[in-house]
Amino acid sequence: MTATDEGKMGSASEGLNVTFGVEMHTRDGVRLLSDVYLPVGDGPWPVVVQRNPYDRTDAGMGSMRIVDPAWLARQGFAVVIQDTRGRGGSDGKWKQFNEDVDDGYDCVEWAASQPWSTGSVGMYGSSGMGLTTYKAVASQPPHLKAAVAVVAPTQWTTRAPGGPFEVSFVTWYALKMAMDTVARLEDRAFATSAMDRIMARMGSIAETWDTLPLSSIDPLSDPTVTDGYWLDWVLAEPGVERPGATVSLSDKPEIGQTALLHIAGYRDQCAPEMFALAAAQKDSDKHRLIAGPWTHRGVYSGASGAREPLGTSSPGGPVGWGPVLAAWFDIHLRGGDGSGFPLGMSWIGGGGGVRCYVEGTDAWATAPSWPPASVVREWILTSNGTARSAGGDGRLVPASEVGLTSGSDHVSADPRDPFPTCGGGLGLPVQGPDAIQDQRAVDGREDVLVYTSEPLEIPMTIVGAQTLVLEFESSAVDADVYVTLVDVEPDGFALNVCDGALRTRYREGRQDSWLTPGVPVELSVELHDTAHTFRPGHRVRVMVAGGNYPRYSRNLHTKTVPELGDLAEAQVAEHVIHNGPGTSSRLVLNEAAAGSLTF
């Protein structure tokens, strides 16, 4: 093909042979349906597969989300779009992605054996389709030569790192997935009634996720509607899939022979798992990472909330990420050099295994691996005892500063009036404004502690995950700690750089790591990965609150699992952060080492 062909769109009938509803049977005899797009000609061709846990016929839920399969087929690939088990047109029962290791393996090997296949198979997908891609990679099928995963988790969990329940997204997602389950029920009268109840809940989604206990939400509480998965999700421990889960790349980050490309967003709720997997592949020459300032939705359009960083929109315009996928698969499935896709090669070519967008500098850089090499810079939290709100006296000072005194700051957390979510890693419009948002909308509240540095004299670029260590005590046996790192610009705009969360009952890998009221403990809150430059004249700020709602569920500050309790038993907690040089409270930033990033 010529460079001018790259990115062309056309109808599915132009230069294609498309067969709908092609059957494949899994090792246990379950029939799965696929649509197969073949280029015109004799073939054979390398095959790229997308496995869809929603409905392969719904373009908005996957089949065209990052690339039009018809366009990809016209680049000389056979394309298979398959409904996963128990979804769309496929038979069987959906098991919350647990079946996608074996089924993904079977699909890859089936595709490799077809008469129109060269035997070289790739997989791709974003979000849920990216998760099924990761599951197949974990199974290491012998014919899976390459894969691309975009804003995707490596395993299905309902809790963020640190333990809080992703209440608004997970509630919506449970209702969405219940629709297909209900549509398959033989009792049509019950199915109609259940669908009406689901749609009513969707129509008042904020009221739905406000419900406590969450386990009582109708119709999710009905095991016929959800096949019992709702209670499993509510009770799930952090980082643990439901019973019956199979191997995941989180547990065993081995990609075998598969050339794996991740496309991750700093403010995507799936990002922590993607960056952890990328870090585990630092010595692999078959691994590449593209990391940008996106949220879960922003990767498709480049939208980043209240700011639009330059050069971060979808590289192929209406074709989405197609040129990048085509270049990757050209190299790894048919031995090409990607030169027929110059736009795609501009994203994956060049030196280093990582291409990352550096906010603040507003430019793309490359690095050998993730995270780029860095040096630790520590900042001390200090105040005169009134760090509540941005109008308080909380300060961040370099650890080298002398003459500081130790003290403490007090702040309350009320589950009936929780500190509100303001931007960050939201996956749905109904959750509120996502991505970059001016934190001045919330930092004047009295239920947040704010510590701010003096204006910087020289730029500081941070990379990877950051950490806030706190000497913390509470009046409650369980507490939530939500941290936001902020870049305060000279005009006052308070840009949320990254954030992290900790539910203290989970801090030691158990569900019952209770606090002793009034007794200080050391807590460590990891903030999500980023690459960001604080420019001269900007100030570094850290915000600490006891809530982040509705992104995360409210902590009732009792021993009751918060999602199973009721506001009637909720308690207002009084938290204390001990600060100053005589305490363990400090902000630990990883500053990019000289030469670690190439612009």
Side-chain angles (χ1 to χ4, degrees), residues 137-366:
V137 172
S139 74
Q140 297 192 14
H143 289 92
L144 184 60
K145 307 302 183 185
V148 181
V150 183
V151 291
T154 58
Q155 61 180 345
W156 171 245
T157 61
T158 58
R159 295 184 182 274
F165 186 76
E166 296 259 13
V167 61
S168 49
F169 177 80
V170 173
T171 301
W172 175 89
Y173 194 74
L175 290 166
K176 168 65 181 174
M177 300 309 277
M179 291 179 182
D180 198 323
T181 302
V182 166
R184 295 166 179 268
L185 297 176
E186 294 183 1
D187 186 339
R188 300 314 303 160
F190 178 86
T192 299
S193 171
M195 190 66 77
D196 288 343
R197 289 148 61 200
I198 290 171
M199 297 309 297
R201 283 297 195 179
M202 283 287 207
S204 56
I205 190 65
E207 179 182 332
T208 300
W209 67 54
D210 265 342
T211 302
L212 283 177
L214 290 176
S215 55
S216 70
I217 294 176
D218 177 74
L220 295 179
S221 58
D222 188 334
T224 305
V225 172
T226 63
D227 196 29
Y229 65 71
W230 178 239
L231 187 58
D232 287 340
W233 291 5
V234 169
L235 292 175
E237 298 176 47
V240 177
E241 292 185 287
R242 71 185 297 273
T246 47
V247 66
S248 77
L249 291 174
S250 294
D251 306 318
K252 189 179 180 182
E254 298 176 7
I255 63 174
Q257 65 174 351
T258 305
L260 179 59
L261 169 64
H262 319 262
I263 301 174
Y266 300 138
R267 295 178 180 84
D268 173 31
Q269 69 264 37
C270 302
E273 295 173 33
M274 298 189 79
F275 284 113
L277 180 58
Q281 307 305 317
K282 64 180 180 179
D283 297 323
S284 171
D285 61 359
K286 289 184 172 293
H287 169 266
R288 292 290 185 274
L289 169 69
I290 297 172
W294 309 296
T295 60
H296 200 67
R297 292 179 290 130
V299 73
Y300 306 110
S301 64
S304 298
R307 291 289 173 85
E308 295 291 338
L310 297 175
T312 62
S313 60
S314 180
V319 188
W321 286 90
V324 173
L325 271 65
W328 188 255
F329 291 137
D330 179 55
I331 294 169
H332 296 289
L333 297 186
R334 60 187 178 200
D337 60 7
S339 60
F341 307 94
L343 180 56
M345 288 303 296
S346 71
W347 285 73
I348 63 173
V354 173
R355 187 173 193 258
C356 59
Y357 189 82
V358 183
E359 298 179 358
T361 301
D362 295 333
W364 288 94
T366 59

Side-chain angles (χ1 to χ4, degrees), residues 7-39:
K8 280 188 177 180
M9 299 289 288
S11 69
S13 62
E14 289 182 20
L16 292 177
N17 291 310
V18 185
T19 305
F20 300 103
V22 177
E23 294 187 4
M24 183 207 98
H25 289 83
T26 63
R27 66 188 68 184
D28 58 344
V30 175
R31 185 189 67 137
L32 307 183
L33 293 187
S34 304
D35 297 335
V36 178
Y37 298 73
L38 300 180

